[in-house]
Amino acid sequence: GRDAAGWALGDRPGGVQVATRFRSGDAFGARSGQLVGIGPFDPAPAKGAFRHVPARFHDGFAACRIALAEDSFELLALDPRAGESLAEVALPRRCAFVLGHEAHGLSDEVRQDQNLRLLRIPQWGSVESLNVAVAASLALYEYVRQHGQPAVPR
């Protein structure tokens, strides 16, 4: 089902990155995409995903957090320095993955939020972090892996 929500944060990351997150969100059954501080962008790379994963725009993190809390979503932020691994925690049925800015990561406001759980995607390489669209896809894949897979398309 569409219980997980993809959520993007950042200071105007590249439009391809934003649209790609929606394409991945549709592939993995995301309920919506929450965009904080992001202006107009080209939706073409999403390949029609906006018909299935609606975008909600927010001026700031606080407004987005409130909207998701009202819909009973637990907030999980992806941070390469987090102590808990995405692969080792039981993801809640209704959760929103918080993704930081491509270059700067999570904002101080997000890191200090007491209602948010920080998780890392395990990696062996020497790069500091993954591309935001890739990280979003991996998080949504893990959600689907834990909560059941859809039927194989015919």
Side-chain angles (χ1 to χ4, degrees):
R2 293 192 176 267
D3 291 325
W7 180 13
L9 293 176
D11 297 314
R12 310 214 186 282
V16 171
Q17 290 295 322
V18 174
T20 301
R21 289 177 225 172
F22 279 86
R23 188 172 180 185
S24 293
D26 183 31
F28 293 115
R31 174 185 208 88
S32 65
Q34 310 293 320
L35 301 173
V36 177
I38 296 173
F41 59 91
D42 179 9
K47 303 289 185 191
F50 290 105
R51 290 188 302 258
H52 308 288
V53 183
R56 292 181 64 190
F57 292 84
H58 305 277
D59 290 331
F61 171 69
C64 187
R65 179 177 33 82
I66 290 167
L68 288 168
E70 288 173 352
D71 286 340
S72 302
F73 283 99
E74 185 173 331
L75 305 182
L76 307 171
L78 300 178
D79 184 325
R81 293 175 295 282
E84 290 185 284
S85 169
L86 174 68
E88 296 173 350
V89 299
L91 297 175
R93 190 74 174 157
R94 290 182 65 81
C95 62
F97 294 104
V98 180
L99 304 163
H101 183 276
E102 187 74 38
H104 311 295
L106 298 171
S107 69
D108 290 338
E109 180 184 11
V110 171
R111 286 181 190 282
Q112 294 168 6
D113 190 300
Q114 297 298 313
N115 297 312
L116 187 131
R117 187 174 181 184
L118 294 175
L119 301 174
R120 66 180 161 73
I121 296 173
Q123 57 188 55
W124 287 332
S126 59
V127 296
E128 184 177 317
S129 64
L130 296 169
N131 168 284
V132 175
V134 170
S137 296
L138 289 171
L140 289 169
Y141 170 81
E142 180 62 19
Y143 178 88
V144 169
R145 190 190 69 75
Q146 288 188 23
H147 292 288
Q149 299 178 20
V152 176
R154 295 176 194 221

